[in-house]
């Protein structure tokens, strides 16, 4: 019963152990589903289930019939046109990161959008090229295409045929890697493995994308300076590229450098204005489109290619090319890289989609997103595109310009289609340095994540460490190895946190039912002879020894050492009793002969197994109080602890190894007459211990209590009863009392209102 009194409440209920609570409230014996039960449910078919599966596989069937034409169509048209123009430019720019001709970037900006329109669950993300994925694919392309020159053929006037062959080889590798990563995503979606994204934390993704931005900046220097830079794919490749760039800096093409710097400054300034005045602007200023049109016109009008020998996009063949057959050998060589590309692409797309789903209150399905992205990459790779995810800036354009559904995405694909089949030739005079500047202009948000370090350091030093190490790994080792090392390091920090948990000793605060770390509060109450120890993490094979050591540090003694000393002392007492050297008095027993000594050699030869057994004094005519004064020649450490409470409210599981260790710990305390209680566990925890035959005559299932306070009150009642059991008047009086919490916060015993039925 709960009685509210102002901002306080009074709870009157019995003190419950876990067993007593289950008996009184008729706990059910639930049947836990087995793997076979889940398989039967999965294979069961019905009309409703078939309908749900169809709507799940094709989300368009659920939202398209409800499309509000009058309210949404105009917004989607404006958004689709704006997003399509950005997609064209980003496709061209990000193709440079893959080290393939820019025209193939349009395929990556077109095909994935069409597939995602039918299969995707997010209404706002813009699917297509993403700089991080483009860099990862580019690293694989460079590694597998043996060439000493990654520059385009426009840099020289010879070896045209050879350069064309190399470009075609690069396109095949990029398409094959994209298809393999799509297959991996599709399989993960079918197998319902969308949860794997949880292993990529926000800190890891932030550090990784920032490092990828650094790689993007370095990779674009050769286009901004128009230099011939050898390919490097091994660890430290970023520094080798920088060395190559600065070792031939005197060969810089000034026209390309000036053009890229001017465009970079203009793009940064206008993007800052768009961000600062986004509330006042009806739509963001399309600065990428504006500078592209101007740069293309200037390059064509003044014939930059001939006059200044700048590198331009060159011929863009209209229409689509025939589908490509993937290379089996490339599949074998790139399985690890493709898995990383698949995971990163899904993680980025899902995180952006989650932001918009929360903002506009609609559900998204991680497994269906995997299927949609996988099918998009398979289809896009088949037509010589490269890996697609979502671009943060492009998705921001689609949402900020009024996009309501993927109709906007479909219209953006139509804009890309128009460029592919009709007007792509207009972009042939465009300098590659302009595309490099546009690619760098989209990295501002990623580079600004350096500010995350300071925020993370204030919030959580582990997250800050993950960010820093992820950034270092990705910069030094490259994106592929860096991602693998970062995930391994992050998992290591999780293991470290659980392997070395911050255990604490609790005390009663305010003489209420609240127990907190005794070091954090000045006014605390600790029942005499009672210790409350809290473990805030799961207990498993790796941290059971640490848990035991922390427990020993908290109580101040080793129970096993006390047990062995008591058993040794008991052997002495038995020998003295047999020789008639002990005399029982009302105050205990004394030795009638001074100087009795046992052989040290005999004591040292005691078997350890015998000393670890429970203390048995049934053969003696008296009971031994180990904390009382023993005969002078018998020395046993005294302990001031009679009860130990383990707060396991934060312990979610135990493995078999830790169960054995925990049982050993409990036995050691019980054998030195220290009662051990466990509080706060759920029923599944106790059921697992029962299934594993954890309980026996020593360790019983009655040690579990619902809360710490239940255990404390049980101890107080038990000790009150034990001290009064030799006084009948006190015993009768004790039976009429109940330990409760008064409204003023006092922990006291008062006349019973609700009878206590605690069983022990």
């Amino acid at each position: 019963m709960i009685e509210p009194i102002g901002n306080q409440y009074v709870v009157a209920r019995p003190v419950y152990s876990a067993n007593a609570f289950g008996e009184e409230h008729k706990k059910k014996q639930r049947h836990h589903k087995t793997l076979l039960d889940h398989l039967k449910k999965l294979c069961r078919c019905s009309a409703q289930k078939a309908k749900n599966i169809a709507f799940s596989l094709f989300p368009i069937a659920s939202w398209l019939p409800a499309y509000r034409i009058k309210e949404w169509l105009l917004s989607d048209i404006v958004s689709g046109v704006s997003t399509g123009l950005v997609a064209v430019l980003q496709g061209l720019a990000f193709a440079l990161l893959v080290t393939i001709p820019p025209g193939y970037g349009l395929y990556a900006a077109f095909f994935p959008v069409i597939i995602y329109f039918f299969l995707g669950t997010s209404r706002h993300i813009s699917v297509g090229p993403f700089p991080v994925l483009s860099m990862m694919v580019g690293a694989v392309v460079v590694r597998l295409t043996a060439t000493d020159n990654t520059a385009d053929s426009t840099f020289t006037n010879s070896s045209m045929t050879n350069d064309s062959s190399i470009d075609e080889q690069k396109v095949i590798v990029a398409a094959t890697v994209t298809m393999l990563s799509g297959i991996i995503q599709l399989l993960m979606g079918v197998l319902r493995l969308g949860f794997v994204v949880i292993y990529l934390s926000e800190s890891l993704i932030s550090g990784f994308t920032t490092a990828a931005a650094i790689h993007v900046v370095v990779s674009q220097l050769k286009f901004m300076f128009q230099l011939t830079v050898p390919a490097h794919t091994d660890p430290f490749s970023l520094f080798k590229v920088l060395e190559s760039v600065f070792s031939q800096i005197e060969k810089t093409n000034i026209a390309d450098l000036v053009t890229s710097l001017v465009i970079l400054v203009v793009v940064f300034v206008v993007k800052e204005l768009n961000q600062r005045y986004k509330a006042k602007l009806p739509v963001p200023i399309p600065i990428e489109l504006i500078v592209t049109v101007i740069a293309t016109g200037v390059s064509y009008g003044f014939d930059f290619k001939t006059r200044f020998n700048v590198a331009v996009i060159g011929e863009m063949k209209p229409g689509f090319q025939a589908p490509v057959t993937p290379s089996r050998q490339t599949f074998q060589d790139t399985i690890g890289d493709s898995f990383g590309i698949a995971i990163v692409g899904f993680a980025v797309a899902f995180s952006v989609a989650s932001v918009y789903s929360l903002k506009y209150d609609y559900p998204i399905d991680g497994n269906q997103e995997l299927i949609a992205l996988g099918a998009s990459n398979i289809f896009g790779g088949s037509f010589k595109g490269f890996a697609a995810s979502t671009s943060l800036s492009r998705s921001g354009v689609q949402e900020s310009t009024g996009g309501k559904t993927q109709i906007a995405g479909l219209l953006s694909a139509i804009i890309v289609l128009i460029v592919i089949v009709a007007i792509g030739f207009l972009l042939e005079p465009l300098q590659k340095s302009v595309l490099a500047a546009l690619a760098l202009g989209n990295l501002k948000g990623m580079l600004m994540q350096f500010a995350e370090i300071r925020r993370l350091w204030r919030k959580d030093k582990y997250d800050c460490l993950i960010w820093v190490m992820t950034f270092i790994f990705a910069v030094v080792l490259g994106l592929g190895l860096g991602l693998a090392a970062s995930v391994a390091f992050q998992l290591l920090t999780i293991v470290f946190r659980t392997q070395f948990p911050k255990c604490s000793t609790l005390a009663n605060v305010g003489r209420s039912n609240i127990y907190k770390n005794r070091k954090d509060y000045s006014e605390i109450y600790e029942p005499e002879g009672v210790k409350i120890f809290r473990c805030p993490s799961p207990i498993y094979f790796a941290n059971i020894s640490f848990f035991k050591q922390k427990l020993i540090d908290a109580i101040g003694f080793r129970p096993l050492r006390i047990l062995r000393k008591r058993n040794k002392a008991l052997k002495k007492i038995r020998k003295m009793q047999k020789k008639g050297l002990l005399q029982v008095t009302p105050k205990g027993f004394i030795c009638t002969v001074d100087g009795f000594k046992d052989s040290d050699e005999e004591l040292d030869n005691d078997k350890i197994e015998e000393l670890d057994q429970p203390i048995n004094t049934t053969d003696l005519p008296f009971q031994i109080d180990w904390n009382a004064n023993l005969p002078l020649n018998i020395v046993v450490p005294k302990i001031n602890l009679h009860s130990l409470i383990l707060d396991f409210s934060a312990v979610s599981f135990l493995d078999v190894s830790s169960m054995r260790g925990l049982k050993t710990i409990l036995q050691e305390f019980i054998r030195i007459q220290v009662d051990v209680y466990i509080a706060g566990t759920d029923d599944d925890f106790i059921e697992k211990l029962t299934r594993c035959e954890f309980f026996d005559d020593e360790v019983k299932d009655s040690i579990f209590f619902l809360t710490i306070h239940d255990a404390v009150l049980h101890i107080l009642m038990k000790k009150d009863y034990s001290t009064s059991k030799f006084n009948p008047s006190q015993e009768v009086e004790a039976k009429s009392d109940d330990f409760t919490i008064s409204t003023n916060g006092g922990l006291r015993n008062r006349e019973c209102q609700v009878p206590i039925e605690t069983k022990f």
Side-chain angles (χ1 to χ4, degrees):
M1 181 177 66
I2 302 177
E3 298 178 1
I5 304 177
N7 64 346
Q8 298 180 343
Y9 62 87
V10 177
V11 179
R13 67 167 178 82
V15 173
Y16 283 122
S17 67
N19 286 346
F21 186 82
E23 291 176 6
E24 179 172 330
H25 296 279
K26 298 180 177 58
K27 180 186 173 185
K28 298 178 181 179
Q29 294 297 326
R30 293 191 297 118
H31 170 69
H32 295 278
K33 292 183 179 180
T34 63
L35 179 60
L36 183 60
D37 295 329
H38 288 289
L39 289 176
K40 288 180 179 179
K41 183 179 179 181
L42 185 64
C43 297
R44 192 177 297 127
C45 187
S46 65
Q48 184 61 38
K49 185 174 182 180
K51 181 179 178 181
N52 292 339
I53 292 176
F55 277 106
S56 175
L57 288 176
F58 298 96
I60 187 176
S62 61
W63 62 263
L64 189 59
Y67 188 81
R68 304 174 188 173
I69 297 178
K70 293 182 179 180
E71 299 178 28
W72 293 350
L73 184 57
L74 181 60
S75 298
D76 279 342
I77 292 175
V78 174
S79 175
V81 173
S82 302
T83 307
L85 295 174
V86 175
V88 169
L89 301 177
Q90 290 189 351
L92 297 172
F94 296 158
L96 298 181
L97 302 179
V98 189
T99 69
I100 61 177
Y104 290 95
L106 297 179
Y107 302 150
F110 173 73
F111 289 107
V113 179
I114 302 298
I115 303 301
Y116 191 86
F117 174 76
F118 293 99
L119 301 180
T121 59
S122 174
R123 302 176 189 174
H124 293 88
I125 67 171
S126 175
V127 177
F130 179 58
V132 175
L133 289 190
S134 301
M135 277 297 304
M136 297 178 73
V137 175
V140 179
V141 169
V142 170
R143 189 180 78 242
L144 295 185
T145 53
T147 175
D148 294 331
N149 187 1
T150 59
D152 190 77
S153 58
T154 54
F155 283 30
T156 64
N157 294 321
S158 61
S159 304
M160 296 291 292
T161 304
N162 183 51
D163 289 340
S164 178
S165 175
I166 292 174
D167 285 342
E168 185 64 24
Q169 184 182 2
K170 289 181 177 181
V171 170
I172 297 297
V173 172
T176 303
V177 172
T178 299
M179 292 178 64
L180 181 55
S181 64
I183 292 172
I184 293 172
Q185 289 174 328
L186 185 62
L187 290 176
M188 291 175 62
V190 171
L191 297 175
R192 320 301 289 176
L193 298 179
F195 65 88
V196 296
V197 73
I198 64 176
Y199 294 106
L200 301 180
S201 67
E202 180 182 347
S203 302
L204 186 147
I205 293 176
S206 175
F208 183 77
T209 53
T210 306
I214 301 297
H215 278 279
V216 172
V217 171
V218 173
S219 70
Q220 297 304 291
L221 292 179
K222 63 183 178 183
F223 297 106
M224 296 177 66
F225 292 93
Q226 196 188 134
L227 299 175
T228 302
V229 178
H232 300 284
T233 60
D234 53 342
F236 304 100
S237 60
L238 182 141
F239 305 102
K240 294 178 181 178
V241 170
L242 287 175
E243 181 184 5
S244 298
V245 169
F246 289 108
S247 63
Q248 48 183 326
I249 195 72
E250 72 279 357
K251 300 178 182 178
T252 299
N253 186 303
I254 302 301
D256 270 328
L257 178 60
V258 171
T259 301
S260 59
L261 290 179
V262 169
I263 289 179
L264 195 59
V265 171
V266 171
V267 169
F268 272 145
V269 170
V270 176
K271 281 183 174 290
E272 183 64 28
L273 293 176
N274 282 339
Q275 180 65 27
R276 181 168 299 183
Y277 299 105
K278 63 180 179 180
K280 298 180 180 180
L281 293 172
V283 294
I285 301 173
I287 186 59
E288 292 95 343
L289 176 63
I290 295 173
V291 298
T292 300
V293 172
I294 295 175
T296 304
V298 171
S299 177
Y300 176 77
F302 291 93
D303 195 13
F304 276 14
K305 180 180 179 181
T306 303
R307 295 179 60 184
F308 302 108
N309 195 31
V310 299
V312 297
I313 291 179
E315 181 183 6
M316 292 186 63
K317 297 179 181 179
F320 297 97
Q321 299 190 23
V324 63
T325 302
S327 168
R328 182 181 301 178
Q329 185 61 41
T330 304
F331 270 9
Q332 298 175 359
D333 295 339
T334 62
I335 181 66
D337 301 282
S338 298
F339 185 79
I341 292 169
I343 294 298
V344 172
F346 170 60
V348 172
F350 187 75
S351 61
V352 176
S354 299
V355 171
Y356 291 125
S357 70
L358 291 175
K359 182 176 181 179
Y360 293 99
D361 191 23
Y362 62 86
I364 59 172
D365 184 351
N367 294 309
Q368 182 60 27
E369 286 294 294
L370 272 171
I371 293 175
L373 291 173
S376 298
N377 280 322
I378 292 173
F379 201 72
S382 300
F383 287 90
K384 299 185 178 181
F386 50 87
S389 177
T390 183
S391 168
L392 282 70
S393 59
R394 195 169 58 249
S395 297
V397 170
Q398 180 167 318
E399 186 264 343
S400 62
T401 52
K404 304 296 183 184
T405 66
Q406 282 300 328
I407 293 290
L410 181 63
L411 293 174
S412 71
I414 294 175
I415 299 297
V416 178
L417 176 64
I418 293 173
V419 175
I420 292 175
V421 300
I423 63 174
F425 68 94
L426 296 176
L427 296 173
E428 291 179 358
L430 183 63
Q431 296 169 247
K432 287 188 175 181
S433 59
V434 174
L435 295 179
L438 292 177
L440 298 183
N442 287 284
L443 301 179
K444 179 183 176 183
M446 298 165 65
L447 293 172
M448 289 300 292
Q449 293 185 68
F450 276 112
E452 287 285 290
I453 300 177
R454 189 173 182 180
R455 181 181 64 84
L456 289 174
W457 180 260
R458 292 196 302 265
K459 289 186 175 182
D460 190 322
K461 293 180 175 57
Y462 276 108
D463 281 342
C464 182
L465 183 61
I466 291 173
W467 195 102
V468 172
M469 295 308 298
T470 299
F471 178 81
I472 293 174
F473 287 147
V475 167
V476 174
L477 301 179
L479 296 180
L481 290 176
L483 177 62
S486 302
V487 173
F489 180 80
Q490 178 181 249
L491 295 178
L492 185 63
T493 63
I494 296 174
V495 172
F496 185 83
R497 293 193 214 195
T498 57
Q499 187 174 353
F500 304 102
K502 294 183 179 180
C503 301
S504 57
T505 302
L506 307 184
N508 187 283
V509 179
R511 300 183 72 85
S512 63
N513 64 338
I514 299 174
Y515 293 82
K516 294 289 186 179
N517 191 330
R518 64 188 308 275
K519 296 180 180 180
D520 295 337
Y521 296 87
S522 55
E523 297 181 1
I524 60 175
Y525 167 70
E526 296 180 284
E528 185 179 356
V530 179
K531 282 285 185 183
I532 306 171
F533 183 77
R534 183 175 189 271
C535 179
S537 76
I539 300 178
Y540 58 105
F541 66 93
N543 68 357
I544 183 64
S545 299
F546 181 83
F547 168 79
K548 182 177 181 179
Q549 185 58 48
K550 283 295 183 180
L551 179 58
I552 290 172
D553 294 342
I555 62 177
F557 62 86
R558 293 182 177 274
L560 184 59
R561 183 176 299 172
I562 300 296
L563 176 62
R564 290 174 177 175
K565 287 184 177 293
R566 287 186 179 182
N567 271 322
K568 280 188 177 183
L570 187 60
K571 285 192 172 186
K572 280 187 177 183
I573 292 173
R574 284 198 177 99
K575 290 182 180 180
M576 296 170 66
Q577 194 268 338
K578 288 180 181 179
K579 294 180 180 181
L581 303 179
L582 291 179
Q583 179 180 349
V584 180
T585 68
K587 295 183 178 181
F589 55 90
I590 60 175
C591 182
T592 58
V593 176
D594 295 334
F596 175 81
K597 292 185 178 180
D598 203 355
S599 169
D600 292 336
E601 181 180 355
E602 184 177 349
L603 291 176
D604 292 338
N605 290 335
D606 287 333
K607 294 182 179 180
I608 296 297
E609 292 80 1
E610 295 179 3
L611 298 180
D612 292 346
Q613 296 304 310
I615 297 174
N616 185 7
T617 60
T618 55
D619 58 327
L620 297 178
F622 49 80
Q623 295 292 325
I624 302 176
D625 184 358
W626 296 104
N627 287 327
N629 292 326
L630 300 175
L632 295 178
N633 58 333
I634 300 178
V635 179
V636 176
K638 298 179 181 180
I639 60 175
N640 58 353
L641 182 70
H642 60 73
S643 299
L644 173 65
I645 301 174
L646 301 177
D647 177 16
F648 276 12
S649 57
V651 178
S652 57
F653 71 89
L654 290 169
D655 64 358
V656 176
S657 300
S658 61
M659 283 184 193
R660 288 194 290 266
L662 178 63
K663 186 170 183 177
T664 300
I665 294 172
L666 299 183
Q667 288 175 334
E668 291 175 1
F669 280 104
I670 292 171
R671 290 172 182 178
I672 61 172
Q673 299 174 355
V674 174
D675 297 329
V676 184
Y677 304 94
I678 300 177
T681 60
D682 58 21
D683 294 338
D684 292 337
F685 186 93
I686 302 175
E687 289 175 5
K688 182 176 181 180
L689 294 181
T690 303
R691 290 196 304 270
C692 295
E693 300 179 351
F694 182 82
F695 304 109
D696 55 21
D697 293 337
E698 274 189 296
V699 181
K700 302 178 180 179
D701 59 359
S702 59
I703 65 175
F704 291 92
F705 283 79
L706 297 186
T707 67
I708 299 174
H709 201 57
D710 283 301
V712 170
L713 296 182
H714 170 78
I715 293 169
L716 294 178
M717 289 186 298
K718 185 176 180 180
K719 290 303 173 183
D720 182 71
Y721 173 77
S722 64
T723 56
S724 63
K725 64 182 179 179
F726 300 108
N727 188 333
S729 61
Q730 291 183 6
E731 182 178 0
V732 172
E733 183 180 354
K735 289 182 179 180
S736 65
D737 288 346
D738 181 16
F739 289 86
T740 60
I741 308 168
S742 64
T743 56
N744 61 6
L747 181 65
R748 58 186 179 84
N749 58 331
R750 66 179 185 181
E751 186 176 349
C752 176
Q753 292 183 353
V754 179
I756 295 177
E757 298 178 358
T758 306
K759 298 182 180 182
F760 48 86

